[in-house]
Amino acid sequence: MELEKERERERAITPRSEDYSQWYVDVVQRAELADYSPVRGCMVIMPYGYAIWENIQKALDKRFKETGHQNAYFPLFIPYSFIQKEAEHVEGFSPQLAVVTHGGGQKLEEPLVVRPTSEAIIGYMYAKWIRSYRDLPVLINQWCNVVRWEMRTRLFLRTTEFLWQEGHTAHATREEAEAETHRMLDVYADFAEREAAVPVIKGRKSEREKFAGAVYSLTIEAMMGNKWALQAATSHFLGQNFAKAFEIQFLDRDNRLKYCWTTSWGLSTRFIGAIVMVHGDDKGLRLPPRLAPIQAVIVPIYKSDEERSQVLEVARATLTKLEGAGVRAHLDDREEYTPGWKFHEWELRGVPVRVEIGPRDVEQEQIVLARRDIGGKEGKRAVPQARLVEAVTQLLDDVQEGLFKQALEFREKHTYEPKDYGEFKEAVERGFALAPWCGSAECEAQIQEETKATNRCIPLEQEPLPENAKCVRCGEPAKERALFARAY
RNA sequence: CGGGGAGUGGCGCAGCCUGGUGAGCGCGCCUGCUUUGGGAGCAGGAGGUCACCGGUUCGAAUCCGGUCUCCCCGACCA
C-alpha cells in the first residue's frame, strides 16, 4: 500500500500547492514542451511545444497582415556602436548583451552584438529607406530569435535565447504612431483572450518599468496560477528617440525635413509559459483548443480481437470525419498502453477533448466525449456517432470558453482594491492589488522593497479617482490607480 | 552575480559520513504469453567511464580542489 502510494507520486507531477515552480518545470518537461540544453539558460523547444508556437504564430501573423503589416528579416548581428546611439537603450541593454569579438579566426575591428532586440539595426535601415512622407508609414514585422544574457532563467519565461516577433513601424505624425501603439496592444489583447483564453489587463508601464528608449510602453498583464503577474506582450511608443538617434527623416508635404515617429511591439515564446501557468492544473497542461496542436484525441478501447477490429474501424472513421471538419485530431492506436494510461498521458499533455470508443459505443452507435477543463464523470458524455462533428466542434468552443471563464474568475477573485497600506501589503501576498498611486518612481521602489510586488501597469480602463484620492503608500495626491503584484 | 540545495542506466532514488566483497532498488525499455471502459500481470532480458577535469591513495561513486548544468531565494530583465 505504501509502495503503491510511492509509485503514484513518482508518476505524478508535483502538486501546485506543494511547489508551484517545480510543478511548472514538471509540466513543461513531462508534456514534452521543452528540454534543457547543455548551454546555461538555453532550452530546446520540442516538437509539441513548437507546434503551440506555430499556432501562436499563425494566429498573430494573420492579425498583423490584417492590420497592414509585412514580414521581413533583419540580421542577427548588430554593430556594437549601433546599440550605443540611443542613450537609454544602451543603458538598459548593455548588461544583457552577448558580444561577438572574433570571426573567422580573427579579432573583429568592431565587436558585433547578438541582437537583444532590433530597434538599432532597423532604425539604421529605415533611415536608408525613408525619403518622403509618401514612403510612410512603414509597417514591418519580423519573426526571429534574440539573445539577452539573463542572471536567472526559467523554461519559456526567461531564457537566454528566445523566439519572438518584433514589429517596427515608422510614421509621419505622433498621432498616427500613438494610434499604432494602441492598435497593436489591442491586437495582442484580442489574441491573448480569444486564441489563448488568457484574460489580460491592458495598461501603461511606469517610467521605471518601460522599455529602454521608449517614450512610453503599453503592456498586457495576466495572472498566473500562483497569482503572480506576467507581462504577456508589450507595445512601445518610441516617439522620435530612435528617429533622432538613427536619422530617420522624411520630407513632409510642406517640404520640411522631419523626424519620423516610431513604434515597436513584441510577443515571445514566454507566452507559452503563460498558457501553461494560467490554465494548467495538477494533472498537467490544459491547452486552449484554438492553439492546441491536438484538439481531439481518439482512444480506442477493446478486449478481444473481434472487438479490436470493430472499434478501430469506427475510430478510424471518426478520425477521418474530424479531420475533414478541420479538427486537429489524433488516433492513439498504440497497442502497448491501456486506455487508462492514455487518458492520463493526454490529460498531462493538455488535449482539450478526448473521444473514447469502446465495444459498447460501437454497439450503440455512439462515442464518449470527455473535456479536459472539467474532470471525471462530470466532463464526460455519450453522443450519437451521427452528431460527432457537431458535438466535438461545439465542445471545443465550450472548452475554449470554459478555460477563459475559469481564468477570468480566478483573476477577479484574487484582485483587491486595498484601502490603506496595511491592506495593500496583504493584497499583494494574495494576488493583484489595484491602488491609487502618486506616480513617483521612489514610491514604486519602496513598495517593491517592502512587499516584493512591482508596479505592473497603470490600467488603461479604470474608473476616475475621486478628487481627494491619496497614494496608497505615501499619501500624496494620486491621479490614477496602478496594478501591483509579484511578477515573473 | 551572492546565499541555499542537487547531479549515480531513460525517470525517481539508495550507497558516500567510516575509501576495498559482484554498483543496487522501483518505474520505464526489449522479448514472450495473458490483459485492455481511468496509469495491467507473470516470466526472461538489455542498459551505467557514478556530471566533467584534476589531485590524494596500493585502491575513489565515496576524501580534497576546480569547472559545468539544473532547482529554490535575492539583485537584473520579455
Side-chain angles (χ1 to χ4, degrees):
Chain A
M1 201 63 200
E2 281 300 310
L3 201 67
E4 248 170 65
K5 276 183 189 168
E6 269 305 305
R7 286 179 195 175
E8 204 54 51
R9 278 183 71 83
E10 271 173 30
R11 266 198 295 258
I13 52 180
T14 308
R16 288 183 300 171
S17 56
E18 189 177 301
D19 184 343
Y20 194 78
S21 293
Q22 195 54 49
W23 167 84
Y24 176 78
V25 172
D26 285 355
V27 171
V28 169
Q29 292 197 118
R30 293 277 304 277
E32 295 180 359
L33 300 183
D35 199 1
Y36 294 105
S37 79
V39 181
R40 178 189 160 75
C42 294
M43 67 174 182
V44 175
I45 303 176
M46 295 170 73
Y48 195 60
Y50 200 81
I52 297 173
W53 181 238
E54 287 178 317
N55 288 338
I56 291 173
Q57 286 182 304
K58 272 181 223 152
L60 276 177
D61 209 63
K62 179 165 173 282
R63 286 168 167 79
F64 296 158
K65 301 279 168 60
E66 282 168 0
T67 44
H69 303 85
Q70 291 183 295
N71 285 332
Y73 186 77
F74 296 86
L76 170 71
F77 296 127
I78 301 175
Y80 194 82
S81 58
F82 279 30
I83 301 283
Q84 294 174 301
K85 286 184 195 243
E86 210 287 329
E88 275 188 33
H89 198 56
V90 204
E91 202 190 318
F93 280 106
S94 49
Q96 288 187 276
L97 296 177
V99 181
V100 179
T101 56
H102 289 72
Q106 290 190 325
K107 188 157 191 259
L108 299 174
E109 280 296 311
E110 184 187 353
L112 295 171
V113 165
V114 180
R115 64 180 163 222
T117 178
S118 303
E119 275 74 8
I121 189 115
I122 291 178
Y124 174 86
M125 296 310 295
Y126 280 11
K128 272 177 75 171
W129 296 343
I130 296 165
R131 294 276 166 261
S132 93
Y133 71 92
R134 293 181 201 278
D135 298 324
L136 297 174
V138 175
L139 306 173
I140 290 180
N141 173 66
Q142 80 165 337
W143 291 95
C144 67
N145 58 340
V146 289
V147 167
R148 298 181 187 178
W149 218 259
E150 298 289 349
M151 290 298 157
R152 185 177 169 191
T153 58
R154 291 169 191 270
L155 294 167
F156 288 113
L157 300 174
R158 180 166 293 104
T159 46
T160 302
E161 177 190 10
F162 58 94
L163 305 184
W164 76 344
Q165 57 68 217
E166 48 178 329
H168 295 269
T169 69
H171 307 262
T173 65
R174 170 187 261 269
E175 292 68 35
E176 196 183 305
E178 290 202 68
E180 168 78 2
T181 310
H182 282 268
R183 178 170 65 159
M184 297 321 287
L185 187 77
D186 289 342
V187 163
Y188 286 140
D190 182 69
F191 160 79
E193 301 201 332
R194 289 173 52 89
E195 305 288 338
V198 171
V200 294
I201 293 168
K202 291 188 278 187
R204 193 180 75 246
K205 283 289 183 186
S206 67
E207 278 300 298
R208 221 172 110 83
E209 299 277 338
K210 73 172 190 190
F211 174 73
V215 172
Y216 61 77
S217 293
L218 303 180
T219 177
I220 51 173
E221 299 283 329
M223 182 185 278
M224 304 298 105
N226 65 346
K227 301 164 210 141
W228 286 26
L230 183 82
Q231 177 176 309
T234 47
S235 182
H236 314 291
F237 173 60
L238 304 175
Q240 293 179 313
N241 294 350
F242 284 87
K244 285 179 178 165
F246 290 92
E247 300 283 318
I248 313 172
Q249 289 176 305
F250 69 101
L251 200 59
D252 207 351
R253 279 186 176 79
D254 58 9
N255 204 37
R256 285 167 58 189
L257 203 55
K258 296 175 184 173
Y259 286 109
C260 287
W261 300 84
T262 66
T263 80
S264 67
W265 25 275
L267 180 147
S268 74
T269 36
R270 162 182 263 201
F271 201 92
I272 295 173
I275 291 170
V276 173
M277 295 177 104
V278 168
H279 300 307
D281 64 16
D282 284 348
K283 287 182 185 170
L285 213 52
R286 295 197 303 173
L287 292 174
R290 298 177 81 116
L291 296 179
I294 297 172
Q295 296 175 308
V297 64
I298 303 161
V299 179
I301 299 153
Y302 48 78
K303 288 193 178 77
S304 64
D305 277 349
E306 196 194 345
E307 282 177 356
R308 178 175 174 275
S309 61
Q310 288 175 343
V311 164
L312 280 181
E313 194 187 322
V314 175
R316 291 196 187 106
T318 302
L319 177 69
T320 307
K321 276 190 256 176
L322 288 176
E323 282 176 337
V327 175
R328 293 188 290 272
H330 173 73
L331 169 61
D332 186 355
D333 56 2
R334 291 177 292 179
E335 301 280 351
E336 61 270 32
Y337 297 108
T338 61
W341 191 93
K342 292 175 182 176
F343 293 171
H344 285 269
E345 174 76 3
W346 292 111
E347 279 167 358
L348 170 65
R349 303 190 83 184
V351 175
V353 170
R354 182 178 65 237
V355 183
E356 302 175 13
I357 303 173
R360 288 205 293 276
D361 306 309
V362 172
E363 195 170 326
Q364 295 172 41
E365 296 190 344
Q366 61 173 29
I367 43 144
V368 172
L369 298 183
R371 54 190 292 179
R372 179 62 178 88
D373 61 330
I374 300 175
K377 284 239 161 65
E378 225 177 308
K380 276 198 193 189
R381 106 194 123 86
V383 169
Q385 280 171 26
R387 287 193 49 238
L388 167 79
V389 167
E390 180 195 344
V392 169
T393 49
Q394 181 61 50
L395 191 54
L396 287 170
D397 286 346
D398 291 349
V399 174
Q400 182 82 25
E401 198 185 319
L403 288 175
F404 180 77
K405 273 190 180 156
Q406 282 179 38
L408 183 62
E409 276 167 25
F410 183 80
R411 188 188 77 195
E412 283 174 349
K413 191 174 154 199
H414 299 287
T415 300
Y416 306 91
E417 297 199 30
K419 298 284 173 285
D420 55 48
Y421 199 50
E423 278 186 30
F424 178 88
K425 284 184 186 167
E426 279 179 38
V428 293
E429 294 273 312
R430 288 192 227 143
F432 285 5
L434 190 62
W437 173 56
C438 62
S440 92
E442 200 183 314
C443 219
E444 200 177 350
Q446 284 295 323
I447 288 173
Q448 182 170 359
E449 205 168 297
E450 288 160 14
T451 68
K452 291 179 185 166
T454 51
N455 185 344
R456 301 318 304 152
C457 67
I458 297 108
L460 297 182
E461 289 149 25
Q462 58 173 290
E463 297 293 312
L465 279 174
E467 284 289 321
N468 57 350
K470 303 270 187 269
C471 174
V472 73
R473 185 184 164 276
C474 67
E476 293 294 312
K479 292 193 296 284
E480 298 172 301
R481 287 181 194 82
L483 184 71
F484 290 87
R486 294 288 298 268
Y488 279 102

